[in-house]
Amino acid sequence: MRAMLRSGWQGLEQALDRAFSPEANPLRQLGALGWLCYWLVLGSGIYLYIFFDTGIEQAYASVARLTEDQWYAGGIMRSVHRYASDALVIIVVLHLLRELVYDRLHGARTFTWITGVLLIGFLYASGITGYWIVWDRLAQYVAIASAEWLDTLPFFAE
């Protein structure tokens, strides 16, 4: 099964090599693309947090104010933050698949593999809190669904 997946992945990489060149192939540069998205998320998140009011009653209004009063910079920063976050998740999944397909999880790479899997949990948790912070209907749904999911785990108290 893994050999078939590796063959398919290599075929996709070779097709992209012809389209972009090996140095610019996005599947061969997943680590660099991930770091780029991370820094975009971090920079735009800091900018947005400067203008964000963290109160429960004020959170939604502050996002609306950021969007309306700073329609250009605020809108661009919100878009960069959102789409870079989405791209980061996609890149992480592709990177995970690539490393699995090439069987790069043994020997000297074991520690890197374990820490990478743990980082996926942190990525998931930060994504959830990103939805919570706005505190609109979607945030409420995500909070309730997350709490229900955590209630199914035996090590969380009710």
Side-chain angles (χ1 to χ4, degrees):
M1 177 74 167
R2 192 175 301 216
M4 189 173 70
L5 288 172
R6 183 180 301 166
S7 151
W9 190 275
Q10 287 173 339
L12 184 59
E13 279 185 348
Q14 289 169 358
L16 290 175
D17 281 346
R18 287 189 295 276
F20 295 107
S21 84
E23 296 82 22
N25 184 341
L27 288 182
R28 295 188 189 273
Q29 306 299 331
L30 291 172
L33 289 172
W35 273 109
L36 173 65
C37 289
Y38 169 77
W39 288 109
L40 286 172
V41 169
L42 183 68
S44 60
I46 290 170
Y47 178 86
L48 293 171
Y49 194 71
I50 289 170
F51 299 102
F52 184 74
D53 191 355
T54 57
I56 292 175
E57 299 293 326
Q58 298 87 2
Y60 185 81
S62 71
V63 172
R65 216 173 24 257
L66 180 69
T67 304
E68 294 164 6
D69 294 347
Q70 295 187 27
W71 65 270
Y72 188 73
I76 287 177
M77 288 307 230
R78 284 188 68 205
S79 295
V80 165
H81 192 73
R82 156 102 195 261
Y83 295 120
S85 298
D86 292 345
L88 181 58
V89 170
I90 292 168
I91 289 167
V92 164
V93 168
L94 287 173
H95 184 65
L96 174 75
L97 289 174
R98 185 174 196 267
E99 297 307 302
L100 277 172
V101 164
Y102 284 120
D103 199 27
R104 294 181 178 160
L105 50 123
H106 303 290
R109 295 183 175 170
T110 302
F111 179 75
T112 307
W113 178 259
I114 292 169
T115 56
V117 170
L118 291 174
L119 284 175
I120 291 172
F122 289 124
L123 182 68
Y124 180 76
S126 66
I128 286 177
T129 57
Y131 278 111
W132 284 352
I133 203 165
V134 178
W135 205 246
D136 58 359
R137 290 199 183 275
L138 178 60
Q140 184 180 13
Y141 171 75
V142 170
I144 291 169
S146 300
E148 288 173 351
W149 179 73
L150 289 173
D151 279 343
T152 64
L153 299 175
F155 51 85
F156 282 100
E158 294 205 19

